[in-house]
Amino acid sequence: MIQRPIIPYEEIGAETLDKMLHIFYAKVAQNPILKPIFPDDFTETTRKQIQFQTQYLGGPNIYTEEHGHPMLKARHMPFKITPARAQAWLECMSEAMDEVGLEGKFREVYYKRLVLTAHHMINAPDEDEEVMEE
Ligand code: HEM
């Protein structure tokens, strides 16, 4: 029998993904090093991230349909993405994953992929390194 591949998006489900990303941005909004680079209102950011994660996890390409190719690194260029910010972003995500009860292999694989993407976004040194170079 040919089995249909398991799509991560179906495994997590739209409802949990939505909940997780709302929790995630509530944490980002409270984080002292992340907050300053985000808009005050997270509505649109959250909506885009839900669209993006939907397709990142193999669901329908709803981000690309509305916004075009993600080109994530380019879209992050206007912001200083330092190693410390990447770490903080990942910590907020890890806590959000805990709070919606993601666990096991699924969570491990998903999180590892986010670590790689987050590290790829880094485009500036940590702030104190900059001071040292001056
Ligand atoms: C490494 C740490 C990261 C930081 C500090 C960061 C920060 C930001 C900021 C400031 C924005 C703009 C928000 C706005 O103006 O609405 C943004 C947008 C976005 N980020 Fe990140 N980000 C990080 C990593 C990631 C990762 C790992 C992903 C995907 C897995 C991601 C996906 C997105 C998406 C899809 C958008 C919306 C782009 C658009 O405008 O269409 N980000 N991010």
Side-chain angles (χ1 to χ4, degrees):
M1 194 177 97
I2 300 169
Q3 285 188 320
R4 210 164 63 88
I6 299 163
I7 299 167
Y9 174 67
E10 289 176 4
E11 205 169 331
I12 185 170
E15 208 179 304
T16 305
L17 184 62
D18 191 281
K19 196 171 158 199
M20 182 185 88
L21 293 173
H22 277 93
I23 294 172
F24 168 70
Y25 280 118
K27 290 178 185 297
V28 170
Q30 298 290 318
N31 187 287
I33 63 166
L34 293 176
K35 191 179 178 314
I37 58 167
F38 281 88
D40 292 336
D41 183 349
F42 280 78
T43 315
E44 188 59 11
T45 312
T46 308
R47 191 180 75 87
K48 284 182 181 170
Q49 189 66 264
I50 292 169
Q51 290 179 318
F52 178 79
Q53 294 294 327
T54 297
Q55 71 183 55
Y56 189 73
L57 293 171
N61 285 335
I62 53 177
Y63 177 91
T64 298
E65 273 165 22
E66 187 177 331
H67 312 285
H69 192 282
M71 305 179 300
L72 275 194
K73 183 132 190 186
R75 289 191 203 258
H76 284 77
M77 278 305 175
F79 314 100
K80 265 193 177 180
I81 313 290
T82 60
R85 283 199 172 117
Q87 192 53 38
W89 191 103
L90 287 166
E91 278 164 20
C92 291
M93 191 58 89
S94 177
E95 289 171 18
M97 285 179 163
D98 286 343
E99 288 179 32
V100 295
L102 286 199
E103 51 186 27
K105 193 75 191 162
F106 178 85
R107 183 215 164 102
E108 195 190 309
V109 172
Y110 185 12
Y111 186 71
K112 272 193 187 153
R113 220 179 134 198
L114 289 172
V115 171
L116 294 178
T117 310
H119 289 169
H120 182 63
M121 291 306 132
I122 295 170
N123 58 22
D126 278 326
E127 308 281 330
D128 44 18
E129 281 175 42
E130 252 173 87
V131 175
M132 276 159 56
E133 279 162 19
E134 275 167 12

